[in-house]
Amino acid sequence: MFEILRNFFNFCDKENRRKFYAAIALGVVNSFFMALRIAAIAVMMQGLIRTLTREQPFTMRTIWLSFAIMLFSVTAAIITKKTVAMWQTEGGYRTCAKKRIEIAEHLRYIPMGYFNKNSLGQITSVTTNTMELVGDVATRAVMLVMQGLLDSALIILMIFFFDWRIALVALAGFLLFQAVNVFMRLAVRGVSEEKNISDEKQISTILEYIQGIAEVRAYNLTGSRSAELNAVINQAKNVCLKMELRCIPIATVQSLVAKMSGVAIMLASIFFYLKGTMPLENCAVMLVCSFMLFTALEAGGNYSALLRTIDIGVKKAQAILDVPMMKISGEEHPEEISKPGDNGKNLTLSARNISFAYDRRKIIDNVSLTIPPRTTTAIVGPSGGGKTTLCHLLARFWDVDSGSVTLGGKDVRDYDMDSLMSNFSFVFQNVYLFHDTIANNIRFGEPDAPMERVIEAAKKAACHDFISSLPQGYETEIGEGGASLSGGEKQRISIARAIMKDAPVIILDEATANIDPENERDLMEAVHALTREKTVIMIAHRLKTVRNADQIIVLDKGRISEEGKHGELINKGGIYARFIDSRKKAVSWKL
């Protein structure tokens, strides 16, 4: 248990860890004030018994002394309990918030391959369920367990001042209670891991079902997909029931141990009194203590079964934070790579003998190329040849396994990541827009940009007219992923976002591949506005977007098989010539 508590506190940031430690320290004081009730009861019992035995008369002084001790005990306990509760609540929710932000920031700087290996459901589960567990259940469970231990320990310590024999009986009951508690945590160990896995699978399946609902309907798979979703939800339900069914019998035994320990204290006290080895007033105090002793401990014990689940969740969150970030060997905040207004005129982008493998499968194999500033480079080749991966390596979405990528003559790994990314803009084939207003989606890279600049970027991207025709114009909220817009509209908003960023290097990953003829002219105008006087790297299959490039790179099986201008490559009669020929034939097809 102490290992789990140590892991939890280590997971918290320093500020909130100190808050938890302060709450525990104040919890000790609170337990002391709670234990003072025994002294108040002892004073009253002693006065009553001495009056009954006619040793001395019962006086108001005894009443007032007992009342004063009890009042002080209750008042101080309430104040300290309130403070402890506030500190632990603040510590829990602030830890939850900070860790969510920390995980989000950390995910920005880890290799993109991490997201291929780890499902969206797992990451979502950690940032939602696990963090909720830390913010609410974990802090409450940890503090209740700790408070139960402290209260019981101080009450047992107080009993030692009255009778060491009864204190030993109470200590034996305490240790037996803890033994049952350890058994409970061991019993739920396997189920706790199973519960975390089922939570991840449930979230992943729900997300997949919602995101793919159009395909589910289109292919009439509502029954089978719903059955799969229901099965996963039922599995999660069964795991929760399984955990409860394992805990309930042991929790019953644990409660029985607590109550029987109280009975043992009562019987021992009566036995010692009848034998004449314990005063009557002490016996009466011990009878009262037998009811008080295990109340807090039992309350904390009911939560202790969750400690294993909490520990697994904390370890999963920490595992994300332990994923190595992409190394930055340069200064923490170096000077900007390009100066404002120079449009990256000195930014030559080069790759020297770079190789990259994913899951032991080589994607890029010893590739070298140079992209001069303010030129257009088209990357073409068969599907799966490594085109997108090469662009990701050039922009340092991943780090190369060998070789180097340089920008402006300096290795990209020597730049601050944010400074490096400020020099790249991306327009992907599959555009992602956020659940926000159109204006905020356009100014995504510059949240404080004035509306005039937003409109200017939209006009350049040829999307001002359709935005203006919407009921709320630029303040129209679009659904998550831009579900309420057409493909062409999303592409143009994405281009407006890139125009707003005004980065010197533009990467177009098949940005015009799926555009219908009606939107093609507007989209090409938007692309032209975006790429004017920029360094452009494009992955494209359309002849119009390839033939005018300053250089064309033909990538096949991770290697550069051909490079040159359109006319030169046509004359070679290689992969590129066959690619162009197939495109011409495709264009000539008619229905």
Side-chain angles (χ1 to χ4, degrees), residues 23-32 34 80-81 84-85 88 140-154 296-297 300:
I24 292 172
L26 192 60
V28 175
V29 178
N30 175 260
S31 297
F32 171 76
M34 295 287 286
T80 53
K81 183 69 174 177
V84 167
Q88 75 181 50
R140 187 158 301 162
V142 166
M143 298 309 294
L144 278 172
V145 170
M146 293 291 294
Q147 196 64 46
L149 291 172
L150 291 172
D151 286 352
S152 300
L154 280 173
L297 187 63

Side-chain angles (χ1 to χ4, degrees), residues 359-569:
D359 281 347
R360 299 181 181 178
R361 183 171 67 92
K362 185 159 280 191
I363 310 296
I364 301 297
D365 187 6
N366 197 34
V367 167
S368 295
L369 57 88
T370 298
I371 301 172
R374 298 190 183 183
T375 62
T376 297
T377 298
I379 302 176
V380 300
S383 179
K387 301 184 294 296
T388 298
T389 301
L390 176 60
C391 289
H392 285 169
L393 293 172
L394 293 175
R396 210 191 169 200
F397 278 20
W398 287 298
D399 276 333
V400 296
D401 294 335
S402 61
S404 64
V405 175
T406 60
L407 183 64
K410 187 176 181 180
D411 196 307
V412 293
R413 289 169 291 194
D414 293 335
Y415 290 115
D416 172 76
M417 182 64 78
D418 291 335
S419 180
L420 178 67
M421 286 296 106
S422 68
N423 287 271
F424 287 90
S425 283
F426 305 87
V427 179
F428 299 108
Q429 178 181 357
N430 298 317
V431 176
Y432 189 88
L433 299 179
F434 296 89
H435 183 56
D436 204 339
T437 65
I438 291 177
N440 286 340
N441 269 280
I442 293 175
R443 61 161 69 98
F444 181 71
E446 294 187 49
D448 299 324
M451 197 64 195
E452 293 77 14
R453 286 190 58 203
V454 172
I455 294 173
E456 181 185 356
K459 287 180 177 178
K460 289 181 179 179
C463 56
H464 174 71
D465 290 341
F466 91 77
I467 294 173
S468 300
S469 67
L470 296 172
Q472 282 80 42
Y474 284 87
E475 296 306 313
T476 301
E477 288 199 2
I478 54 179
E480 185 178 351
S484 58
L485 301 176
S486 69
E489 290 169 342
K490 288 193 290 185
Q491 282 287 9
R492 279 178 277 166
I493 289 175
S494 175
I495 291 171
R497 185 161 60 192
I499 290 174
M500 172 72 78
K501 188 177 181 182
D502 194 28
V505 182
I506 311 294
I507 295 180
L508 305 172
D509 189 351
E510 300 192 64
T512 62
N514 298 325
I515 301 304
D516 53 84
E518 289 79 9
N519 288 320
E520 184 175 7
R521 183 178 61 83
D522 289 341
L523 190 63
M524 293 310 297
E525 287 180 3
V527 171
H528 181 68
L530 170 65
T531 58
R532 187 180 293 117
E533 296 186 343
K534 305 287 186 182
T535 302
V536 181
I537 306 166
M538 62 168 66
I539 299 173
H541 290 152
R542 295 193 177 204
L543 180 56
K544 292 179 183 178
T545 56
V546 174
R547 67 184 309 160
N548 295 322
D550 296 297
Q551 68 171 331
I552 299 168
I553 305 293
V554 181
L555 204 63
D556 183 26
K557 297 179 181 178
R559 288 176 172 268
I560 295 178
S561 60
E562 298 174 4
E563 58 182 314
K565 292 192 177 232
H566 174 76
E568 297 170 355
L569 297 179

Side-chain angles (χ1 to χ4, degrees), residues 77-195:
I78 290 173
I79 294 171
T80 53
K81 183 69 174 177
K82 174 182 176 295
T83 306
V84 167
M86 287 301 300
W87 284 353
Q88 75 181 50
T89 301
E90 288 177 6
Y93 286 119
R94 286 178 179 173
T95 293
C96 173
K98 285 189 174 183
K99 285 300 176 180
R100 277 180 170 145
I101 294 171
E102 187 179 343
I103 289 172
E105 287 295 311
H106 190 79
L107 290 174
R108 290 177 56 200
Y109 300 109
I110 62 179
M112 293 296 292
Y114 173 82
F115 300 98
N116 296 332
K117 294 178 183 178
N118 298 271
S119 72
L120 182 61
Q122 179 183 346
I123 298 171
T124 305
S125 178
V126 169
T127 54
T128 54
N129 287 0
T130 301
M131 289 301 100
E132 191 67 28
L133 195 70
V134 170
D136 189 6
V137 180
T139 51
R140 187 158 301 162
V142 166
M143 298 309 294
L144 278 172
V145 170
M146 293 291 294
Q147 196 64 46
L149 291 172
L150 291 172
D151 286 352
S152 300
L154 280 173
I155 290 175
I156 292 172
L157 182 63
M158 185 76 74
I159 292 174
F160 265 105
F161 288 101
F162 288 90
D163 195 294
W164 63 270
R165 297 166 300 180
I166 302 300
L168 289 178
V169 173
L171 182 61
F174 176 85
L175 295 175
L176 183 59
F177 183 94
Q178 292 303 319
V180 177
N181 197 261
V182 169
F183 181 71
M184 178 187 289
R185 291 196 298 275
L186 291 175
V188 301
R189 175 184 290 176
V191 186
S192 298
E193 178 65 33
E194 193 177 340
K195 183 181 184 304

Side-chain angles (χ1 to χ4, degrees), residues 125-341:
S125 178
V126 169
T127 54
T128 54
N129 287 0
T130 301
M131 289 301 100
E132 191 67 28
L133 195 70
V134 170
D136 189 6
V137 180
T139 51
R140 187 158 301 162
V142 166
M143 298 309 294
L144 278 172
V145 170
M146 293 291 294
Q147 196 64 46
L149 291 172
L150 291 172
D151 286 352
S152 300
L154 280 173
I155 290 175
I156 292 172
L157 182 63
M158 185 76 74
I159 292 174
F160 265 105
F161 288 101
F162 288 90
D163 195 294
W164 63 270
R165 297 166 300 180
I166 302 300
L168 289 178
V169 173
L171 182 61
F174 176 85
L175 295 175
L176 183 59
F177 183 94
Q178 292 303 319
V180 177
N181 197 261
V182 169
F183 181 71
M184 178 187 289
R185 291 196 298 275
L186 291 175
V188 301
R189 175 184 290 176
V191 186
S192 298
E193 178 65 33
E194 193 177 340
K195 183 181 184 304
N196 275 276
I197 293 172
S198 71
D199 285 344
E200 290 175 6
K201 190 174 181 181
Q202 180 176 224
I203 291 175
S204 180
T205 306
I206 291 172
L207 286 172
E208 183 183 38
Y209 183 83
I210 294 171
Q211 291 170 345
I213 192 68
E215 283 73 15
V216 170
R217 288 184 178 180
Y219 289 93
N220 198 27
L221 297 173
T222 50
S224 60
R225 299 303 292 181
S226 296
E228 180 183 345
L229 178 62
N230 291 341
V232 170
I233 294 172
N234 284 329
Q235 182 186 9
K237 175 200 71 176
N238 292 335
V239 170
C240 290
L241 289 173
K242 182 178 179 182
M243 173 174 274
E244 291 298 324
L245 290 174
R246 282 202 182 178
C247 289
I248 288 171
I250 304 173
T252 302
V253 173
Q254 186 174 251
S255 180
L256 183 63
V257 167
K259 289 175 172 56
M260 292 308 296
S261 297
V263 171
I265 291 172
M266 294 174 66
L267 294 176
S269 300
I270 293 170
F271 174 77
F272 292 137
Y273 167 70
L274 293 176
K275 285 194 66 176
T277 58
M278 178 184 288
L280 178 60
E281 56 266 30
N282 284 7
C283 178
V285 171
M286 291 303 100
L287 292 178
V288 174
C289 286
S290 67
F291 290 97
M292 295 171 52
L293 178 58
F294 292 100
T295 303
L297 187 63
E298 191 174 3
N302 291 334
Y303 276 89
S304 64
L306 289 173
L307 292 180
R308 179 61 59 182
T309 303
I310 293 165
D311 189 45
I312 293 171
V314 165
K315 286 178 178 177
K316 284 182 178 292
Q318 190 60 48
I320 293 179
L321 295 172
D322 289 340
V323 174
M325 294 192 296
M326 301 176 78
K327 294 181 180 178
I328 301 171
S329 57
E331 300 174 19
E332 185 178 356
H333 295 291
E335 67 281 0
E336 289 294 325
I337 303 171
S338 61
K339 303 300 181 184

